[in-house]
Amino acid sequence: MGYLFLAAAIVSEVVATSFLRLTSNPGGTSGTSTPWWPYIIVVVGYVLSFVMLSQTLSAGIPLGIAYAVWAGAGVVLVALISWIFFKETLTLVQVGGIVLVIAGVGMLELGGRHNPTT
């Protein structure tokens, strides 16, 4: 059950972070106002993310493992979402960084002690 809470924490954090992009005026057009609704998605997403991360820890997932997976998955997913939806660049060096993040989180997960009930 702990990993389901962790997945929910990751999804809500990635959604909130992605919607941060809509809270700015990237084109720099003066006189246009930023819509209010992305702010609600950002706040609710971050609050839900931390609640779910707390539930993850309560379910017995170790803090170091939970945070590594949460942060690593968030970094990778936001980078990919930014590339796909916001047409931001993704260089070969950045792809290498993504691979290293995935490898690092995988190593932390494989090397950690696991409670058999989680």
Side-chain angles (χ1 to χ4, degrees):
M1 192 67 176
Y3 283 99
L4 290 176
F5 288 132
L6 184 56
I10 292 165
V11 168
S12 60
E13 186 266 336
V14 167
V15 168
T17 301
S18 298
F19 272 85
L20 275 174
R21 183 77 154 88
L22 300 178
T23 64
S24 65
N25 190 356
T29 309
S30 61
T32 59
S33 63
T34 304
W36 58 269
W37 57 269
Y39 292 98
I40 293 174
I41 293 171
V42 168
V43 170
V44 169
Y46 282 133
V47 168
L48 181 61
S49 180
F50 282 103
V51 168
M52 290 294 102
L53 187 58
S54 174
Q55 292 299 312
T56 300
L57 301 176
S58 295
I61 306 294
L63 175 61
I65 300 298
Y67 191 74
V69 173
W70 182 68
V75 165
V76 170
L77 290 172
V78 168
L80 293 174
I81 287 169
S82 296
W83 176 60
I84 293 167
F85 293 105
F86 301 124
K87 307 300 182 219
E88 294 180 3
T89 60
L90 192 60
T91 66
L92 192 56
V93 171
Q94 290 170 316
V95 171
I98 288 171
V99 170
L100 290 173
V101 167
I102 293 168
V105 170
M107 291 173 69
L108 282 169
E109 175 66 24
L110 290 173
R113 293 181 184 242
H114 295 280
N115 184 350
T117 62
T118 57

